[in-house]
Amino acid sequence: MQQTTGSLDVQAFLDRHPFSAFQWRIFALTFLVVLLDGFDTSAIGYIAPSLAGEWGASKMALAPVLSAALFGLAFGALAAGPLADRLGRKRVLVGAVLVFGLGCLASAFSGSLSELVGLRFVTGLGLGAAMPNAVTLTSEYCPEHRRATITNTMFCGFPLGAACGGFLAAWMIPHLGWRSVLVLGGVAPLVLVALMLWLLPESVRYMVAKKFSPERIRAVLVRIADGASRATTFTMSEKNPQGPAPEATSGIGVVLSPAYIVGSVMLWIAYFMGLVIFYAMINWMPILFREANVPPQTATVISALFSLGGVGAIAFGWLMDRYNANKIIATGYALTAVTVYFIGQSLGNVGALVVTVFLGGTLMNTAQSSMPALAAAFYPTQGRATGIAWMLGLGRFGGIAGSYLVAELATRHLGFGQIFAVLAVPALIAAVALVVKQMVHPHSGQAVVRGGVTGH
């Protein structure tokens, strides 16, 4: 038996070894979590026209149904971050997936709008808790120089899941009814829970920070590379461009500390504004297109293209690992404003509508999907889960605002083009927030490369 000797820096260990099959397994499981999160979150928007037809609901009556899960998402995320920094990433993540699977499955058997509202809120609690912990767990197994690329690729599961929801709904609703979409959205997470209990490890960085036994940490690291088998103690160095890590004992204390508070607020504003656009588009595009005399199935498919564009986050992740991440994402939001405006000018030309919706979705979802990786790089380990979760949680109120915003604009009889012109404004505000973050924390967006930091 090989004798164990010496100390091992966990992040340095992750940085110098190739991304292993064990790490790819973690990536795959968290990708599936985020994929199902996207599917379940957006499913209600795709079935909304069917709900309106079956239950005779007006647009204002549908607004609580569309936003109920978002309230749950907000509260779920706000609670889950501090819990994960205290109890561990895996435990909270598995519980969250179980909750949103059961909630979505129960929603399929709703008998009224009020019952559906309550069940969508419960579903949202699980959805909100799952997302930040999936991001945190993935990022904490990444080498520094590839963290944004890998995390962004994983987060692409969300818009991809939302897009799959649209394509599946377009086929399932006419053949199997709207309830079938929610049944699928409930059963799939329950299967994933079983896989996660069996295959998903706890975050190794969390285990070091919480002083788990060396034997337990070593058992995880040797699955990445044999070099960890000789270590008797494990340490964790972190690059903190904001200065020394705060002495706060809680994740909330880190996020709200003087060293991080301005960046935290700017992250909240940017994510909030991005979700105003995302949920306004996802929840209302199918209805707005149909009211503009676009055939129902065509309206659903075109709307789904907006979510599909999120796969562009992989390219942004690659750029973020090499250049200034704040500037890259701010540029993405600024271009989003332009394309969202032009969606409103493309009505009457299906070809132009398809192009502008896909391009707008690519830019908007790419920028939005890159935000968790930006937050993961901004916070130290003791506050990372809370920092990501609070950005996602507070941002969800933007989704709620977006759901009600379009309903309010429609009641004021704004035209199709005017509604999309209004929806372009939040993207500009998000871009400005990240510019402010860059000015106050000039090193927070620097790229981490092999051998150090580059300040492009």
Side-chain angles (χ1 to χ4, degrees), residues 358-393:
F358 180 74
L359 184 58
T362 298
L363 289 165
M364 190 273 139
N365 286 295
T366 293
Q368 195 73 3
S369 297
S370 301
M371 289 293 293
L374 186 67
F378 183 63
Y379 296 108
T381 296
Q382 62 265 40
R384 184 171 293 117
T386 299
I388 296 171
W390 276 39
M391 182 189 76
L392 296 176

Side-chain angles (χ1 to χ4, degrees), residues 172-186:
M172 293 176 73
I173 292 172
H175 292 86
L176 303 171
W178 62 266
R179 296 177 190 274
S180 64
V181 178
L182 297 178
V183 170
L184 177 61

Side-chain angles (χ1 to χ4, degrees), residues 67-399:
S67 60
L70 300 181
F71 279 102
L73 281 157
F75 292 117
L78 292 173
L83 279 175
D85 280 330
R86 181 182 297 270
L87 303 176
R89 293 24 169 159
K90 177 180 177 177
R91 187 181 302 178
V92 177
L93 180 57
V94 171
V97 176
L98 180 64
V99 168
F100 82 69
L102 292 173
C104 192
L105 184 60
S107 299
F109 302 96
S110 300
S112 66
L113 279 178
S114 58
E115 188 178 338
L116 185 57
V117 167
L119 289 170
R120 288 300 295 173
F121 177 80
V122 173
T123 304
L125 290 174
L127 293 169
M131 178 84 74
N133 283 292
V135 172
T136 302
L137 187 56
T138 299
S139 71
E140 291 183 341
Y141 272 99
C142 289
E144 293 248 16
H145 60 278
R146 297 179 63 192
R147 179 171 288 157
T149 303
I150 294 169
T151 304
N152 274 21
T153 303
M154 184 276 294
F155 200 77
C156 283
F158 184 84
L160 187 60
C164 288
F167 293 127
L168 286 171
W171 179 85
M172 293 176 73
I173 292 172
H175 292 86
L176 303 171
W178 62 266
R179 296 177 190 274
S180 64
V181 178
L182 297 178
V183 170
L184 177 61
V187 171
L190 299 181
V191 174
L192 183 58
V193 165
L195 292 174
M196 292 165 64
L197 287 170
W198 178 33
L199 298 172
L200 190 68
E202 179 55 88
S203 162
V204 69
R205 292 175 68 90
Y206 175 84
M207 289 194 287
V208 173
K210 293 296 183 179
K211 297 179 170 56
F212 279 47
S213 69
E215 292 77 17
R216 186 169 174 184
I217 298 170
R218 189 186 309 117
V220 172
L221 291 179
V222 294
R223 305 184 75 174
I224 297 173
D226 289 337
S229 61
R230 300 183 181 183
T232 54
T233 58
F234 298 90
T235 60
M236 185 175 58
S237 62
E238 291 197 87
K239 298 179 178 67
N240 286 307
Q242 283 66 253
E247 295 298 325
T249 57
S250 68
I252 296 173
V254 172
V255 171
L256 300 181
S257 67
Y260 289 88
I261 184 62
V262 174
S264 294
V265 172
M266 293 304 108
L267 288 170
W268 300 343
I269 291 173
Y271 204 77
F272 179 99
M273 291 299 168
L275 288 189
V276 168
I277 302 169
F278 181 81
Y279 283 103
M281 303 285 270
I282 286 297
N283 286 336
W284 290 106
M285 268 199 303
I287 294 174
L288 292 174
F289 287 165
R290 288 176 67 170
E291 289 185 345
N293 298 318
V294 178
Q297 195 164 359
T298 303
T300 301
V301 171
I302 293 176
S303 300
L305 290 173
F306 187 82
S307 298
L308 190 62
V311 296
I314 299 171
F316 259 38
W318 186 88
L319 292 170
M320 289 166 66
D321 280 330
R322 289 158 177 79
Y323 305 101
N324 188 288
N326 292 321
K327 296 177 182 177
I328 289 166
I329 302 175
T331 301
Y333 279 124
L335 293 174
T336 295
V338 176
T339 54
V340 168
Y341 172 80
F342 278 107
I343 290 173
Q345 312 306 309
S346 301
L347 190 64
N349 185 332
V350 173
L353 196 59
V354 166
V355 171
T356 53
V357 168
F358 180 74
L359 184 58
T362 298
L363 289 165
M364 190 273 139
N365 286 295
T366 293
Q368 195 73 3
S369 297
S370 301
M371 289 293 293
L374 186 67
F378 183 63
Y379 296 108
T381 296
Q382 62 265 40
R384 184 171 293 117
T386 299
I388 296 171
W390 276 39
M391 182 189 76
L392 296 176
L394 293 170
R396 296 297 178 182
F397 290 105

